[in-house]
Amino acid sequence: KKYKMSLTKGSMVYNIEPLEDGESFNCCVKAPQVFAGEYWSEAPEPTKRAAEHAAAKAALEAEFPEAAAEIANAVPLVASVIAAGPETAAACLAASVGASRNAQKRRAPGDPSAPDGKSRLKYSLRLILDRSVLNADIVYTTETMESPEGTFYTSYVTMPEYDPTAVHWGEPAQSQRQAEINAAEAAVLALAPLVGPLEEERSAKRAAVA
């Protein structure tokens, strides 16, 4: 969306360069109609897939720095998605700019029937794990802060079964529930580039069955 066009099949090209040791690889990714330049993996990688991931990460950070920061906690699964091939990597890069912002717009202001961040996070994680989400899969922790303006709550959410190292903090709120929703929104933003392709895949499967 930054360039008012979508990354499609063939618009993104990966070139793998084996090193002399025969055990490591560098990779260059380019998209002449989209990217400002070509991007290389920062260091040799032990596999071709890892080299592709490193090159795609370098492109993401250079072309879409804000989106790269938003999805920093999603890197473990980004690696596996990019490793699936250039088409999937292109989808992730394109989604990183638009899908994460669209996730915030799904809930119309003042609409009590619309799903909140906690519901969307549960939905996102169900797609990623490809199973029902258990209570232990999403853990919220809330801290209380006292200020001259009153009591505020700040929450963070973790997903131990998906990535035990990722922690998503939400903005302070005047209630614990809203603080948890804010934390969930932050996690939804981080997962959005991964959820988009999974939603498309599910829709395609449903269409094929129908």
Side-chain angles (χ1 to χ4, degrees):
K1 291 191 177 181
K2 175 181 177 182
Y3 299 95
K4 298 182 179 180
M5 64 181 296
S6 300
L7 289 170
T8 57
K9 182 179 180 181
S11 65
M12 206 171 177
V13 180
Y14 289 84
N15 292 320
I16 301 292
E17 184 178 274
L19 299 188
E20 293 182 358
D21 60 12
E23 297 180 352
S24 54
F25 305 86
N26 283 328
C27 180
C28 169
V29 60
K30 55 186 177 180
Q33 297 180 344
V34 181
F35 292 166
E38 59 183 36
Y39 301 95
W40 285 85
S41 49
E42 293 184 357
E45 298 290 344
T47 67
K48 293 180 181 181
R49 289 184 175 183
E52 285 184 351
H53 166 223
K57 182 173 180 287
L60 176 62
E61 291 175 343
E63 296 286 336
F64 312 113
E66 293 182 2
E70 288 176 357
I71 66 169
N73 286 325
V75 165
L77 190 54
V78 171
S80 63
V81 173
I82 289 175
E87 293 178 44
T88 305
C92 284
L93 285 169
S96 67
V97 176
S100 63
R101 289 173 173 78
N102 289 339
Q104 289 183 312
K105 299 178 182 179
R106 292 178 185 172
R107 187 184 184 192
D111 181 1
S113 65
D116 61 22
K118 296 178 74 171
S119 298
R120 294 204 303 276
L121 177 57
K122 190 173 183 179
Y123 165 78
S124 298
L125 192 59
R126 179 165 60 83
L127 286 178
I128 292 170
L129 298 178
D130 194 26
R131 63 168 173 79
S132 298
V133 175
L134 307 176
N135 290 336
D137 290 329
I138 301 177
V139 180
Y140 293 93
T141 302
T142 302
E143 299 178 355
T144 304
M145 302 183 299
E146 298 294 339
S147 73
E149 288 76 24
T151 302
F152 288 85
Y153 301 86
T154 303
S155 294
Y156 64 86
V157 61
T158 57
M159 294 166 281
E161 293 300 317
Y162 159 55
D163 181 5
T165 65
V167 179
H168 305 277
W169 285 89
E171 295 182 358
Q174 293 182 320
S175 70
Q176 179 175 340
R177 173 174 170 72
Q178 186 59 50
E180 291 180 351
I181 290 174
N182 292 347
E185 293 283 3
V188 169
L189 287 175
L191 298 178
L194 313 176
V195 172
L198 293 175
E199 287 181 319
E200 292 179 3
E201 180 182 349
R202 189 181 69 163
S203 298
K205 289 181 178 179
R206 286 182 173 179
V209 172

